[in-house]
Amino acid sequence: MKSAVVVFPGINRERDMALALESVTGVKPVTVWHAETELPKVDLVVVPGGFSYGDYLRCGAIAARSPIMQDIRARAAKGLRVLGVCNGFQIITEAGLLPGALVRNAGLRFVCRQVRLRVENNRTFFTNRMAAGAVVSCPVAHGEGNYICDAETLKRLEGDNRVVFRYVEDTNPNGATNDVAGIMSETGTVIGMMPHPENMIEPLHGRTDCRPLFESLLAA
């Protein structure tokens, strides 16, 4: 499986993501600078976490207008799998690849800790090695992870089983609507999530709960 990791000014989790992908797939991802206009031929593109452009304006708003995003949107429309994590979730949402928005945490404070995630949909390219309802530990590190959307969009997300991850009851770190931690597009080829699964796959991380997520990429 060939993958690419996109790098923007201020992004700081691209190496974590690249190492996670290489560890599981055995293939080193291609690094794509945001100013490039065309992706290489890959099976997956990942927009990683960090603080693109210092989170100025709105988190992800400036990065969503970078040159490479035009090709990512075009390739996604043709079926390319896209994964956005944390700031990457914010970026691809700002770019229109996913509905809704990520806003300030309900507590108005930056949150950095482990949370518990429940796999709501195990029939996606990133969860097919997990059992539906499985609960995993996963780190979060964000100040704007509060997922919101209008009532009709929420109804569609829930009705179409497009909520991929949900914070376990009473552990929601940011106030996200319906405890939403990750969603997917109508086509199922774009997934965005706030927690950082790339930081919970090796014994040195303390746990390996999220390794099956990356193993799912090989079976997709």
Side-chain angles (χ1 to χ4, degrees), residues 1-137:
M1 190 202 76
K2 296 180 181 178
S3 60
V5 177
V6 184
V7 181
F8 301 85
I11 285 287
N12 61 14
R13 295 296 188 98
E14 74 278 5
R15 292 185 180 182
D16 302 58
M17 182 59 71
L19 287 171
L21 289 166
E22 183 176 4
S23 171
V24 175
T25 69
V27 180
K28 187 175 182 178
V30 177
T31 299
V32 178
W33 183 236
H34 74 109
E36 296 182 34
T37 57
E38 187 174 350
L39 290 168
K41 187 175 181 180
V42 292
D43 305 299
L44 169 76
V45 60
V46 182
V47 185
F51 305 94
S52 58
Y53 293 93
D55 283 347
Y56 289 110
L57 187 57
R58 291 187 310 275
C59 291
I62 301 175
R65 289 152 180 81
S66 289
I68 195 60
M69 293 306 299
Q70 184 172 345
D71 194 43
I72 290 177
R73 281 192 294 266
R75 296 278 295 276
K78 296 179 180 179
L80 175 67
R81 296 186 178 98
V82 179
L83 174 65
V85 173
C86 197
N87 191 215
F89 186 11
Q90 296 162 341
I91 292 169
I92 63 176
T93 300
E94 286 280 348
L97 290 169
L98 292 171
L102 284 305
V103 299
R104 289 290 302 275
N105 294 345
L108 303 182
R109 292 187 177 184
F110 188 87
V111 177
C112 183
R113 65 170 188 259
Q114 285 190 38
V115 298
R116 300 180 71 216
L117 294 181
R118 184 169 61 246
V119 177
E120 298 288 81
N121 185 340
N122 70 334
R123 298 191 299 275
T124 79
F125 69 83
F126 200 50
T127 60
N128 61 74
R129 290 289 182 90
M130 305 290 288
V135 175
V136 299
S137 288

